[in-house]
Amino acid sequence: MAFKVLITKKIPEQGMIILRQNDCESVVHESYRPISRQRFMTEIKDSDAVISMLNNRIAEPLLDLGQKLKVVANLAAGTDNIDIQACTERGVAVTNTPGVLTEATADLTLALILSAARRVVEADRYLREGRFSGWDPLLFTGSSLSGKTLGIIGMGKIGQAVAKRALSFDMKIIYHNRSPLPEDVAAPLEAEYLPLDDLIQKADFLSLHLPYSPEVHHLIDKEKLEMMKPDAYLINTARGGHVDEKSLIKHLKAGHIQGAALDVFEREPLLAPGLTDLDNVTLLPHLGSATKEARSAMAKMAAESVCAVLAGEKPQNIVNPEVYE
Ligand code: GLV
Ligand code: GLV
């Protein structure tokens, strides 16, 4: 009998091809809205696998309904939407899609840094509003990147890919991470390790690239925002929960920091009240990995993980290897 794979959003065809080739019958939630709790609860009952999105909360009691469930393949690098321990306890493998979205996410981070520094979105809006009345030496003057300091919190693959790009803009790289990078990795990036508070105080651009967990909830809170330079920018392409959005809005309004560029939000798809009223923020709808190349590779990787688990093999991107011990 074919395996049933529940896919909670339409994914690129590259993933579907692999599932079809491996005796999987997919049930795809096609709507532009996230799958409803009710449908999820119904479909999971006879599903062998789920390909989940980062905005699907996967925990008890949903997991208790998935009596046949063997694998949850999250179409994301982050797995903070999944109760990993609850999956492990039930013998459910959890996989993610690291690596293949590194370049895409780093590219978008640079896009946000440049957008913030050069006021790209704000200027576009101004033009569309018909307000451009000719070249002006003072019009939308921003900040140059050359010689500025980029502070990276979370120096995994994505943080490093951002550093590599920023180096070519002649930025100075400082970073904070759970542990300093090995010298042979840090040296080519000319990246200097600093304690968190020092880093926040020194950065002209502060960019977040660490995974989310409750321990780092509101890592950037009122106190940390106050440490930032008044002409600094905050860039977030990681997870919304890292930043106290309310405090950020207050700081932006008061001009305590220069600007922010955010791809992720605390309560996606909702934005904190006041955020869209501010001119000194660039706001994107969680597009970090949104290139055709990355999304195809993510779909392929998730499908391969599902097929591996269903074939009794250990998938490459296992998040909870304990289920195989
Ligand atoms: C995107 O946010 C991801 O974690 O892949
Ligand atoms: C995942 O965390 C990555 O850096 O690709």
Side-chain angles (χ1 to χ4, degrees), residues 12 289-297:
S289 62
T291 61
K292 292 186 187 74
E293 293 86 350
R295 290 285 163 81
S296 295

Side-chain angles (χ1 to χ4, degrees), residues 75-86:
L75 197 78
T79 49
D80 49 286
N81 55 309
I82 301 173
D83 184 337
I84 307 286
Q85 194 186 332

